[in-house]
Amino acid sequence: MNRRSMLKTLGAGLGLAGAGTLAGVTPVLGAGTFKVTLQLGWLASNGILGEVAADKLGYFAEEGLELDIVPGGPNIDGVASVASGRANLGSISSSPSLMLARSAGIPVKCIAAGYQQHPFTYFSLDRNPVRTPQDLIGKKVATNGTARILLRALLAKNGITEDQVEVSVMGSDMNPLLTGQVDVVTGWKTNVNALSVLGEGRVDMTLWDAGVQLYANPYYVTDQTMADHPEQVTAMIRAIARGWGWVHENPEQAVDILVERFPNMNRDSEMKAVGMAIAYSFNENTAKSGWGVMTRENWQTQIDTYDALGQFAKGAPKVDDVMTLDVLERTAAERPVYG
């Protein structure tokens, strides 16, 4: 793994802007230490193995950064938290959230893609299986609030109107499927602990296989953060990339670090899931261009797909407003290359 010496006096000389701006609520902590507040779009999970490992191993400290992780949840708008300045780095479950935010005039921009393939899945039981999108017709589907846009895209992509499916909002509890309250629940295949209650009768239909192919765990910042703190933003991604590279090489130790930080997690379950998390993080794209890679063309395809589905009430955003490759280019030499 590549190493970088500590950035010298990061944050020194940064002028605080007026009240309500990101600089005004993101303090520089001590000489050369910049606080990174990472707002998650959901609860803490194995999707942040790299971040937690990087923090434990001192990669953030070497960059002059201090990491604070803020979990999200079913009623927390992570994008709004970042846009308002309460956090200065965000990671959300799905790329469309950022496209929709930008279309609505929220100045956030993606800087790296954590997962190269989306693990979002629709789970049913073999007594009433949903194996294809058409099987959703007439079904009761429970999904979390931030994932409703994924379901809308899936339905439209497959010519199913929204009134053909009954949708309700759920948290992380899978029991409504077991009790017959709903026919389908949603979640990530990497959430082994939550899915264990469904047993061997579980039937999976992935969003990817249903024809909606998106980035997962995209990292994003505001335009102001990019303009005011480019070195720190670059350092954030460099530290996280190094962390994920270490996870790739040390999966069992990485799980131990994750469970140490979040004791509510089940180590046995996370050990079963760590291989999937690594597989979603590294594939043929990262083997060529390193962890976090994304392409302008892929983003444009996603925008075009959602635009064709009528998802942008205020018009489709420009691809260069939704994402930037600048940070990936600046960290090219340090991001681990695994497939």
Side-chain angles (χ1 to χ4, degrees):
M1 298 296 299
N2 293 307
R3 296 288 189 265
R4 286 287 294 242
S5 60
M6 183 183 295
L7 296 180
K8 297 181 179 179
T9 60
L10 278 179
L14 289 175
L16 297 181
T21 65
L22 185 60
V25 296
T26 307
V28 176
L29 306 177
T33 303
F34 184 88
K35 183 172 182 179
V36 179
T37 301
L38 172 59
Q39 174 67 61
L40 304 180
W42 193 243
L43 304 176
S45 69
N46 45 40
I48 56 169
L49 276 162
E51 290 86 320
V52 173
D55 197 26
K56 179 72 173 182
L57 296 168
Y59 297 166
F60 279 94
E62 290 177 19
E63 298 285 0
L65 306 174
E66 177 182 305
L67 178 65
D68 180 31
I69 299 174
V70 181
N75 300 310
I76 296 175
D77 189 338
V79 174
S81 179
V82 174
S84 69
R86 290 191 297 273
N88 55 4
L89 175 65
S91 178
I92 199 163
S93 60
S94 308
S95 46
S97 295
L98 300 183
M99 302 186 303
L100 291 164
R102 196 77 205 205
S103 174
I106 301 174
V108 292
K109 182 173 293 187
C110 185
I111 56 176
Y115 280 0
Q116 296 298 305
Q117 181 173 323
H118 210 297
F120 193 80
T121 303
Y122 294 83
F123 303 106
S124 57
L125 299 176
D126 54 10
R127 67 189 184 211
N128 186 19
V130 170
R131 305 182 191 279
T132 70
Q134 294 301 317
D135 293 335
L136 287 170
I137 296 174
K139 297 294 195 297
K140 296 179 180 178
V141 179
T143 191
N144 64 69
T146 58
R148 291 186 69 127
I149 57 174
L150 302 182
L151 179 58
R152 290 201 300 267
L154 185 155
L155 295 177
K157 180 80 172 180
N158 290 276
I160 304 169
T161 60
E162 294 184 26
D163 62 3
Q164 291 179 285
V165 178
E166 183 178 334
V167 183
S168 60
V169 176
M170 65 176 283
S172 57
D173 185 10
M174 300 289 176
N175 282 308
L177 177 59
L178 292 175
T179 59
Q181 297 176 63
V182 298
D183 304 309
V184 180
V185 293
T186 64
W188 287 31
K189 290 185 73 172
T190 51
N191 193 355
V192 172
N193 192 45
L195 293 173
S196 63
V197 300
L198 300 183
E200 297 181 357
R202 193 183 92 198
V203 175
D204 299 353
M205 180 182 72
T206 66
L207 182 73
W208 189 274
D209 291 340
V212 182
Q213 300 180 346
L214 311 168
Y215 288 127
N217 286 356
Y219 297 87
Y220 64 98
V221 297
T222 63
D223 292 349
Q224 182 179 336
T225 301
M226 281 292 294
D228 292 350
H229 309 298
E231 292 183 351
Q232 287 89 344
V233 172
T234 300
M236 294 173 194
I237 294 302
R238 185 162 50 232
I240 294 171
R242 289 178 59 196
W244 274 103
W246 188 87
V247 171
H248 184 279
E249 294 298 304
N250 304 276
E252 184 171 350
Q253 296 96 313
V255 169
D256 287 336
I257 291 173
L258 180 68
V259 175
E260 178 186 19
R261 184 152 184 167
F262 299 99
N264 61 305
M265 294 186 181
N266 182 282
R267 185 183 186 278
D268 291 340
S269 295
E270 296 306 330
M271 279 302 304
K272 294 176 183 177
V274 66
M276 283 189 286
I278 291 171
Y280 284 122
S281 299
F282 296 97
N283 65 3
E284 64 275 9
N285 298 324
T286 57
K288 179 180 179 180
S289 303
W291 176 90
V293 63
M294 57 185 184
T295 68
R296 190 175 184 278
E297 292 75 18
N298 181 287
W299 275 103
Q300 186 63 63
T301 297
Q302 293 183 53
I303 292 171
D304 292 344
T305 297
Y306 267 67
D307 190 29
L309 298 174
Q311 297 296 306
F312 300 119
K314 296 185 177 180
K318 296 179 179 179
V319 65
D320 292 325
D321 289 335
V322 173
M323 56 81 68
T324 178
L325 298 176
D326 291 350
V327 178
L328 291 177
E329 291 172 354
R330 292 197 293 265
T331 57
E334 291 86 8
R335 289 183 290 105
V337 178
Y338 295 118

